Amino acid sequence: QVQLVESGGGLVQAGGSLRLSCAASGRTFNSHTMGWFRQVPGKEREFVAFITWSGGRTFYADSAKGRFTISRDNATNTVYLQMNSLKPEDTAVYYCAVARGPWSRVTMYDYWGQGTQVTVSS
């Protein structure tokens, strides 16, 4: 049983930065993977990035590569998404999630946070 709470969303101008946080509580193990996804109204939820808890392997969607950085803090069971050079098309609700392994598919994630809104103005 894992609970996830996202924070850090808000309104930012194009070109600006935001750091999202996702605090995990409950029973967690080194074998899990934590990912970030985003969704806009009328569209499917899309993968942004993941990090494996053991080893810290990262993988990014093409849209995030070079601009976003995912990281983890083992002491606090927290995963971060540093978002730089934000674009209006980054506007979405961002969700963190936990999977059994290093997957980028939505259906492979077992637990989800409530989401945090990111709005990028032009």
Side-chain angles (χ1 to χ4, degrees):
Q1 297 279 27
V2 178
Q3 294 177 318
L4 304 171
V5 180
E6 301 102 329
S7 62
L11 175 64
V12 65
Q13 293 182 346
S17 299
L18 283 174
R19 172 178 274 186
L20 306 183
S21 299
C22 176
S25 61
R27 187 165 64 178
T28 58
F29 300 95
N30 292 339
S31 60
H32 74 271
T33 293
M34 298 187 72
W36 284 99
F37 295 78
R38 65 188 184 187
Q39 188 169 27
V40 299
K43 296 186 65 178
E44 295 182 353
R45 191 167 298 183
E46 67 173 347
F47 169 76
V48 176
F50 73 64
I51 185 167
T52 62
W53 203 252
S54 178
R57 286 177 51 207
T58 60
F59 181 74
Y60 298 89
D62 288 342
S63 60
K65 196 174 302 180
R67 299 188 300 126
F68 295 2
T69 302
I70 189 170
S71 61
R72 73 197 197 282
D73 185 339
N74 298 70
T76 59
N77 276 352
T78 302
V79 64
Y80 302 95
L81 185 68
Q82 178 67 46
M83 304 187 294
N84 299 324
S85 302
L86 284 163
K87 307 173 182 178
E89 49 263 47
D90 294 318
T91 296
V93 176
Y94 284 71
Y95 300 89
C96 65
V98 176
R100 297 170 296 167
W103 304 105
S104 60
R105 295 188 300 174
V106 168
T107 55
M108 297 304 298
Y109 285 76
D110 301 309
Y111 302 96
W112 294 86
Q114 82 286 357
T116 185
Q117 176 70 47
V118 171
T119 302
V120 184
S121 62
S122 60

